[in-house]
Amino acid sequence: MYLEGDLLSFLVQVAGTALGDPVGNDAFYVFFDTDGSPATGYQVQALGVEYVAEVLGGSGRVESSRLFEFPANAELNWSRRAAVAGVPAAASGSTLELRVSTDDFAS
């Protein structure tokens, strides 16, 4: 992860091909616990996640990439998320890059 101004950049390296499934069923998720409370948001292990960046694709290509927000009482309900913004993302060989603007996190 690299922070430059309000942009969080992520570089993911995998064995094989990033988003390499030929039928387009691969996904990467980056979870954000923006309030630091495990009691709020979507429950992921010991985190209470308010936002998730989702990158979907296949055959080494990004098909969609978005940032979603969870309500405070989402608990384990993945379907309670709502799209907030697009997320620039690209895949090449064994790497995936994505960038999230912290301006998209509600204060």
Side-chain angles (χ1 to χ4, degrees):
M1 194 236 7
Y2 178 73
L3 177 62
E4 181 178 4
D6 68 338
L7 298 174
L8 291 167
S9 298
F10 298 86
L11 177 67
V12 180
Q13 185 82 38
V14 300
T17 303
L19 301 173
D21 189 317
V23 293
N25 291 325
D26 278 346
F28 288 90
Y29 300 96
V30 179
F31 296 100
F32 301 94
D33 182 358
T34 58
D35 68 4
S37 172
T40 58
Y42 181 73
Q43 304 301 301
V44 178
Q45 295 186 10
L47 298 175
V49 174
E50 283 72 43
Y51 295 90
V52 60
E54 173 187 82
V55 181
L56 304 174
S59 299
R61 293 187 329 268
V62 173
E63 299 296 332
S64 72
S65 52
R66 295 179 287 182
L67 181 68
F68 293 91
E69 181 178 14
F70 290 101
N73 63 350
E75 296 177 354
L76 295 175
N77 192 343
W78 183 257
S79 66
R80 301 268 324 267
R81 64 194 182 140
V84 173
V87 172
S92 178
S94 63
T95 61
L96 173 82
E97 296 179 70
L98 65 138
R99 180 176 284 174
V100 175
S101 172
T102 59
D103 287 345
D104 292 327
F105 299 152
S107 51

